[in-house]
Amino acid sequence: MSEHALHKLTQCTLAELIEVGGDYLAKSDLVYGHGTDNPHDESAWLALEACGLSPAEPLENYHIDVNRGHLERAKNWYRQRADQKIPVAYITGRSWFAGHEFVTDSRALIPRSPIAELICTEFEPWLTDTPDSILDLCCGGGCIAIACALQFPDATVHGTDLSPEALQLAALNREKHQLQDHLQFFEGDLFNGLPIEQRYDLIVSNPPYVDREDMQGLAAEFQHEPQMGLAAGIDGLDIVDKILGDAQNRLTDNGVLIVEVGNSQPAVEQRYPELELIWLEFEMGGAGVFLTTAASLKAA
């Protein structure tokens, strides 16, 4: 079906809307990577949200009729996605991470880290004991910290970020999940701003790690996200270097550090040949996440 078919659509079922919308997006020169990897899934996400349905909940009947108001909303959202290259999660205002729903807007990156899989499996087999204290460095909108707090309800969980706007969004998500008494956020540059005496059994971070060359070639979709959440200098290691330099002083004796570095993995391996790093594998996809320990950091 052509782009014109979407504009002419005046009545349809949900299944027909997804089909027509998927074809429209497929012809729109889009880049995926914010939770989906194809136009059909993005079309379904937009169509379901436009109809007031959750993409996270199973739907038995896709042949229900779409009312006029929902259809016009969907058509407007399809145009935003195609013409302005806005990621779907920013259009709809929500996304999912580790099975939990989050308010999502341009104050922070869209949740999409493979670290979600680690949280859902309680970091097995890498954690020998249930962590009593957890830190989410560069927490953005709070998805990792909140998912950890929900997975480990007895743990002290902290999140920290340099962006006050991102922390506003994180606080909104904390309230959404009713974790005000269980999770604290701090504003500061990495470990700065945290309680001085606090050490953590587990530090998790999805920091900025995009190198200068990749930043210059970012697709339009990624340019809608806050650039301070992506850019990390010439080789992508500006923030990772600081984390590795200071983490030993913030981990407990048996503490574990997990950091996502994405495409900067080769740069990390070249920069730190003496440091014992375990590069994690994921059943659900994803790469570029390393694990190291307080003991390994001390030895290096």
Side-chain angles (χ1 to χ4, degrees), residues 52 59 65 73 95 101 126 134 152-153 163 165 187 206 215 220 239 244 247 255 266 275 288 291:
L59 183 66
D65 291 328
R73 179 191 297 168
S95 61
E101 181 183 325
W126 310 110
I134 303 171
F152 300 101
S163 166
E165 293 79 16
E187 182 180 342
N206 180 14
M215 284 297 299
I239 311 302
L244 289 174
L275 179 59
L291 178 150

Side-chain angles (χ1 to χ4, degrees), residues 44 46 123 153 193 200 267:
L46 287 168
F123 298 93
Y200 301 92

Side-chain angles (χ1 to χ4, degrees), residues 48 71 79 87 108 136 148 151 191 203 225 228 241 277 293:
L48 286 163
L71 177 58
R79 294 187 190 102
D136 176 10
C148 284
Q151 195 73 36
F191 298 100
I203 298 176
E225 295 186 291
M228 70 177 294
D241 286 340
L277 300 175
T293 65

Side-chain angles (χ1 to χ4, degrees), residues 137-159:
L137 272 178
C138 306
C139 66
C143 63
I144 289 176
I146 289 169
C148 284
L150 293 169
Q151 195 73 36
F152 300 101
D154 295 326
T156 296
V157 182
H158 292 164

Side-chain angles (χ1 to χ4, degrees), residues 96-152:
W96 287 262
F97 180 83
H100 306 292
E101 181 183 325
F102 291 89
V103 179
T104 308
D105 62 36
S106 59
R107 285 176 287 185
L109 300 187
I110 296 169
R112 54 183 179 275
S113 173
I115 290 172
E117 184 176 320
L118 300 176
I119 298 171
C120 292
T121 59
E122 298 189 348
F123 298 93
E124 293 182 349
W126 310 110
L127 292 185
T128 55
D129 299 304
T130 301
D132 292 323
S133 51
I134 303 171
L135 172 63
D136 176 10
L137 272 178
C138 306
C139 66
C143 63
I144 289 176
I146 289 169
C148 284
L150 293 169
Q151 195 73 36
F152 300 101

Side-chain angles (χ1 to χ4, degrees), residues 34-103:
H34 291 100
T36 66
D37 61 5
N38 65 83
H40 182 272
D41 286 349
E42 294 228 333
S43 178
W45 187 352
L46 287 168
L48 286 163
E49 290 274 22
C51 293
L53 302 168
S54 171
E57 300 294 332
L59 183 66
E60 294 182 359
N61 182 16
Y62 278 83
H63 295 285
I64 57 175
D65 291 328
V66 177
N67 70 42
R68 189 174 187 84
H70 291 163
L71 177 58
E72 290 307 311
R73 179 191 297 168
K75 290 163 73 171
N76 181 50
W77 283 356
Y78 283 124
R79 294 187 190 102
Q80 288 185 52
R81 180 69 185 97
D83 298 340
Q84 302 176 47
K85 305 297 188 290
I86 301 174
V88 173
Y90 283 165
I91 294 173
T92 64
R94 64 173 175 172
S95 61
W96 287 262
F97 180 83
H100 306 292
E101 181 183 325
F102 291 89
V103 179

Side-chain angles (χ1 to χ4, degrees), residues 7 28 34 38 57 68 87 121 150 152 172 189 203 205 211 230 233 240 250 259 264 269 274 282 286 289 297:
H7 298 316
S28 300
H34 291 100
N38 65 83
E57 300 294 332
R68 189 174 187 84
T121 59
L150 293 169
F152 300 101
L172 187 63
D189 186 3
I203 298 176
S205 184
D211 64 41
L230 297 169
V240 174
R250 286 295 191 161
V259 183
S264 293
E269 293 174 314
E274 77 289 353
F282 300 91
V289 178
L297 288 166

